Amino acid sequence: MPASIRDVMPAFELFQPASVADTLGLLERHGSDAWIMAGGLDTFDWLKDRIQKPKVVIDLSNVSELRGIKERDGGIEIGALTTLTTITRDPLVTGKYRMLAEAAGLVASPQIRNQGTLGGNLAQDARCWYYRAGWPCYRAGGNICYADTPTSLNREHAIFEADRCVAVNPSDTAPTLIALDAQFVIMREGREQVVSAQDFFVGPGIDITRLTMLQPGDLLTAIRIPGTWAGKELFFEKVRDRQVWDFALVNIAAAIDGSASTITRTRMVVNGVAARPHRLEAVEAFLAGKSRTPEVAEQAADLAVAGAEPLRHNAYKVPLVRNLVKRAIRGGAEWTS
Ligand SMILES: Cc1cc2nc3c(=O)[nH]c(=O)nc-3n(C[C@H](O)[C@H](O)[C@H](O)COP(=O)(O)OP(=O)(O)OC[C@H]3O[C@@H](n4cnc5c(N)ncnc54)[C@H](O)[C@@H]3O)c2cc1C
Ligand code: SF4
């Protein structure tokens, strides 16, 4: 591997637009030469490590239209540039969608939450260290996965949906937005496109070089959360090695409708287990109309890990997913998981 000078960023042309219209003009003009920068946390890692060398960086920090949280159609709309700290405190989020505030509040550290944006958290790249160190793997355009060999370090990698690449989606907010059935608003070639949170994230079978459907030139402008799950039982839990400044080993987001004893419908998503947040559709279907008993939770946990294919060092994620599913189902009930 060629030696690289760390911490000295490559030269690029910097633009700091003050409106969405100007941003879109710049994106159109510079196409795939342009790199969008929001809070810069993921961006600066790539630039300082000199793994990514864009000709043009478009810094969104002055685009105030992209910040803020407001009510919309019975739900809320969150600008893509809204910081994670704002999300943890905003009464519209904490009042109706506490799970999102909790997930944002468990990201990394206060400094990172003050700077990091929701859009950046959703669009952030994989954290696989082989890839981040610039190794020429499948995700980087090569023809090998360094994380899936007999001697690889793959404790944090995928147990589901591996297709050449076994990296995982690292976002804490992403599974909550899929569970809440959110929609993402994207400006593409001058037109607004609205996609479901679930479809926003893509696995390696669709595109091995990116974790989302965003293409060069696309701008994520807002996240819309419908009123459907507002005020329902919302559960988020994150398991990590350290209690601060650490990505999830596995996290779970569940939206549950029903009562203390019965579940009528649910949406359940785990992250940190595949290249995209992994929706537990079989568990959701099974739980409809079921009582919240240890036996039901045990069966749901079995369904949740059906098809899991752990790597050499990450089999522990299988019981972790099982237990998180049981804890989500248990809710406030008294039985042990
Ligand atoms: C030490 C450390 C620990 C971390 N721990 C956690 C953690 O525990 N949980 C967690 O979820 N995350 C964690 N993160 C990730 C962090 O939250 C994200 O890196 C951060 O949220 C990225 O947001 P940003 O606003 O800085 O985006 P940037 O770094 O500026 O951008 C990230 C990516 O998104 C693209 N992008 C950003 N905004 C838009 C937009 N509006 N439209 C299109 N593309 C866009 C950029 O081009 C870039 O590719 C950690 C990061 C660090 C550095
Ligand atoms: S897991 Fe993915 S990102 Fe990591 S080395 Fe393998 S192909 Fe590259």
Side-chain angles (χ1 to χ4, degrees):
M1 209 178 112
S4 61
I5 307 167
R6 305 278 158 163
D7 267 6
V8 180
M9 287 195 283
F12 51 77
E13 202 176 354
L14 176 66
F15 290 92
Q16 295 183 302
S19 67
V20 168
D22 285 352
T23 307
L24 295 175
L26 287 164
L27 286 169
E28 193 180 348
R29 187 164 359 131
H30 295 286
S32 56
D33 286 340
W35 178 285
I36 292 175
M37 182 169 85
L41 293 160
D42 207 9
T43 297
F44 282 124
D45 273 359
W46 282 121
L47 300 186
K48 287 189 163 191
D49 285 347
R50 299 177 77 86
I51 310 294
Q52 300 287 352
K53 298 177 184 173
K55 289 191 182 140
V56 167
V57 171
I58 302 175
D59 171 11
L60 299 180
S61 54
N62 292 328
V63 188
S64 51
E65 293 163 69
L66 293 177
R67 290 187 199 277
I69 303 172
K70 61 185 181 199
E71 286 181 295
R72 185 182 192 281
D73 294 341
I76 60 171
E77 180 172 294
I78 307 177
L81 209 61
T82 306
T83 66
L84 297 170
T85 295
T86 302
I87 288 165
T88 63
R89 296 178 183 158
D90 188 278
L92 289 175
V93 181
T94 55
K96 292 179 175 174
Y97 308 102
R98 175 159 285 282
M99 161 166 80
L100 173 60
E102 286 169 3
L106 289 170
V107 168
S109 63
Q111 295 90 336
I112 287 175
R113 297 193 291 272
N114 288 344
Q115 180 70 17
T117 66
L118 181 59
N121 189 263
L122 297 168
Q124 65 176 301
D125 208 343
R127 284 274 157 186
C128 170
W129 42 83
Y130 299 101
Y131 171 60
R132 300 296 287 218
W135 293 36
C137 65
Y138 282 126
R139 188 165 287 281
N143 61 2
I144 182 173
C145 174
Y146 297 97
D148 194 10
T149 73
T151 54
S152 300
L153 297 175
N154 48 33
R155 180 173 169 272
E156 283 79 11
H157 287 72
I159 57 170
F160 291 112
E161 292 185 57
D163 178 355
R164 294 158 294 152
C165 176
V166 293
V168 299
N169 183 295
S171 171
D172 283 320
T173 59
T176 68
L177 292 168
I178 296 175
L180 291 169
D181 205 8
Q183 295 192 312
F184 291 6
V185 185
I186 294 155
M187 291 301 297
R188 173 174 287 177
E189 293 171 354
R191 281 212 289 277
E192 184 179 288
Q193 285 197 7
V194 180
V195 298
S196 71
Q198 188 165 347
D199 291 343
F200 178 77
F201 299 97
V202 298
I206 294 177
D207 187 343
I208 202 165
T209 65
R210 57 189 73 243
L211 293 185
T212 72
M213 46 80 76
L214 290 176
Q215 300 287 338
D218 288 355
L219 180 69
L220 174 65
T221 59
I223 289 83
R224 292 178 185 153
I225 308 179
T228 329
W229 294 95
K232 304 285 184 208
E233 183 181 332
L234 302 174
F235 179 89
F236 179 81
E237 188 164 354
K238 170 178 180 173
V239 178
R240 51 190 166 167
D241 282 325
R242 296 171 306 194
Q243 287 311 304
V244 72
W245 206 293
D246 214 355
F247 288 93
L249 295 168
V250 179
N251 61 27
I252 186 166
I256 298 173
D257 201 359
S259 67
S261 59
T262 311
I263 291 175
T264 49
R265 64 182 176 131
T266 178
R267 284 171 72 96
M268 221 177 260
V269 186
V270 283
N271 209 6
V273 295
R276 59 180 167 171
H278 185 69
R279 188 162 163 213
L280 301 175
E281 283 170 334
V283 175
E284 293 171 10
F286 168 74
L287 286 175
K290 293 281 191 318
S291 300
R292 293 179 180 218
T293 63
E295 295 72 29
V296 164
E298 207 58 55
Q299 289 175 57
D302 288 344
L303 284 172
V305 295
E309 289 184 295
L311 304 166
R312 185 157 175 243
H313 295 295
N314 69 1
Y316 73 96
K317 286 194 179 186
V318 174
L320 207 48
V321 170
R322 290 187 93 263
N323 284 335
L324 287 172
V325 166
K326 288 195 278 181
R327 286 160 70 88
I329 295 168
R330 183 180 63 179
E334 294 275 309
W335 39 276
T336 52
S337 64

